Amino acid sequence: MNIQLDTIIFYVKDIQLIRNFYVENFNLKVTEEDHIWILMNAGAVNIGLHKIGDQYLNKITAGYQFDNNTKLVFEVDTDIETARNELLSNGIRMREIKTFENYNFWLCDGVDPEGNVFQLKCKK
């Protein structure tokens, strides 16, 4: 059996807000879209956005940030500081740049409008 990861799905409150965030800041291409589902191509893997069902939406308070253990990692083809500064200038919350001993990449985490963590990754 040959298995390949095809899609990562996030359940989101505001599907258009999150769609626009990833399309505008990461140049992802939308390949499917309707009022509860959006599929974006992110290279070797797709990112799906599924609107949270109405029966759950009324339980979410305004300003709520989701807490999950998933992180999207985007490898960038520019230096990490330039990429980080571009996202900061767009009002995106970004953490400091970091690396690890004997690791050939620079890393920088950020957060999308609903609290999903993403990471920029750049070769040293």
Side-chain angles (χ1 to χ4, degrees):
M1 176 170 45
N2 182 16
I3 298 174
Q4 295 182 20
L5 181 62
D6 178 75
T7 305
I8 297 169
I9 298 174
F10 282 122
Y11 288 87
V12 300
K13 180 179 174 184
D14 187 334
I15 196 167
Q16 288 300 317
L17 175 69
I18 303 304
R19 172 206 185 277
N20 293 343
F21 176 84
Y22 286 104
V23 168
E24 292 169 6
N25 293 292
F26 295 92
N27 297 317
L28 300 187
K29 304 296 181 225
V30 175
T31 59
E32 293 177 27
E33 184 169 12
D34 65 30
H35 68 286
I36 62 165
W37 171 253
I38 295 173
L39 187 66
M40 300 173 294
N41 182 269
V45 174
N46 293 303
I47 298 172
L49 305 176
H50 195 297
K51 186 174 180 178
I52 296 172
D54 290 336
Q55 68 271 33
Y56 301 106
L57 278 176
N58 62 3
K59 298 177 182 175
I60 300 171
T61 59
Y64 178 81
Q65 293 278 292
F66 292 101
D67 185 23
N68 65 51
N69 63 356
T70 303
K71 181 188 291 187
L72 298 175
V73 179
F74 297 97
E75 189 163 355
V76 297
D77 62 357
T78 186
D79 71 276
I80 195 89
E81 190 170 344
T82 299
R84 179 181 181 269
N85 288 337
E86 182 177 331
L87 294 175
L88 282 170
S89 71
N90 289 338
I92 298 169
R93 292 183 298 158
M94 299 296 298
R95 298 179 186 145
E96 296 301 318
I97 296 170
K98 64 183 178 183
T99 191
F100 301 99
E101 188 175 333
N102 298 320
Y103 188 62
N104 292 327
F105 294 91
W106 292 104
L107 308 169
C108 184
D109 289 355
V111 181
D112 77 16
E114 289 194 2
N116 299 300
V117 178
F118 64 86
Q119 183 174 80
L120 303 181
K121 175 181 177 180
C122 176
K123 287 191 180 219
K124 288 184 177 176

